[in-house]
Amino acid sequence: MNAILVHKSLNKKAFGISRIECFAFALFYIVSSLVYYFTIWITNQAYTNYSTPFWNFSNYISSSGVDYLLKMLFTIPIWVLIFRIFLNIPSSKKILFHLVLFPLFIVSHKFLYYKISQYLGWGRLSGFLEIWDYYISSLFYILQFSFFHAYDYYHQNNKQLLLASDLKESKLKSELSALKAQLNPHFLFNVFNTINASLPKNQDNTRLLITKLASLFRYQTKASKEDFVPLKDEITFIKDYLSLEKERFGERLSVEISVDYKIENTLIPPMLIQPIVENSIKHGISDLIEGGTISIKISKEKDFIKFEISDTGKGIENKSNIFGIGVGLTNTKLRLEKMYQSDLIVADNHPRGTLIKFSINV
């Protein structure tokens, strides 16, 4: 039990960094400074005629302690920039950051360290020998960020493996649930056709509604077997769903759909938008006498497809508890997190209602 508590304590994170990572980061610099100090001591023993004791704290501080403390302080903002602020950019673009930050790190570190050494009267290299400080700092920069990138790759790879495992388990559970509640689709479609055929000729609207309902079931059957569908198929499904809802609400429900035609063939997970639209109608518009408008906007921005679903309903006061209301929104949020590491953002719509937005990379 105590071991579990210690493990949780070490993995407690602040700003996305665990305590054990902070400890390893500090230990790396302490060990590096001690290795450098030992190297200087060995060199002095070989090229001087007198013997000096190995450990002297003041010698350690002046020869390597402050040097590596400055390296650590200059490394922290670079590390935060590359591995936190720009965490999700491609590795090729991170190299471009290094091309700028590498010389800045070397020159800034050397300038400040030399100023401190001069002020405190510490010995340092001078003249042509200063090139060794450039050389050693350059090697250290390359070495430490090679470690950091290797650790980041290991961490991200483990995270992806865990997400893949969770998705596989979630998919298996969904398939089992579908099997338990399965009604033979062919039987269902045959029933719809039979009902359609039995309707009088003057019941065209009813016949159309049944056809759309059959299309909804057909799409849901397809969605249970496919991981991705074209965006245009998802939009057709949403339009059929909303047309059935309009029959129920009449003029109380207005619909606005705007989709960039250039991205209609983009593949997205099926049934991604419908739970959000259903939530907007059920919890936003249905209770209002005057009804409201559902607006769906889908566009592309750089490498992302942006989704915005808004309503002019009564709005949501406690947005922190919205994912506990129903299964649909919660499942959509989890799917976005696991498949795209994307957040489902809930905000106020203006002048009234709720705006839900998210984006996926393509």
Side-chain angles (χ1 to χ4, degrees), residues 318-329:
N318 192 350
K319 297 177 181 61
S320 60
N321 291 335
I322 185 174
F323 298 108
I325 295 175
V327 176
L329 273 184

Side-chain angles (χ1 to χ4, degrees), residues 132-151:
W132 282 100
D133 281 326
Y134 287 109
Y135 176 69
I136 292 171
S137 295
S138 299
L139 283 181
F140 184 79
Y141 183 96
I142 294 171
L143 176 66
Q144 69 172 354
F145 278 102
S146 295
F147 284 144
F148 295 158
H149 279 287
Y151 174 74

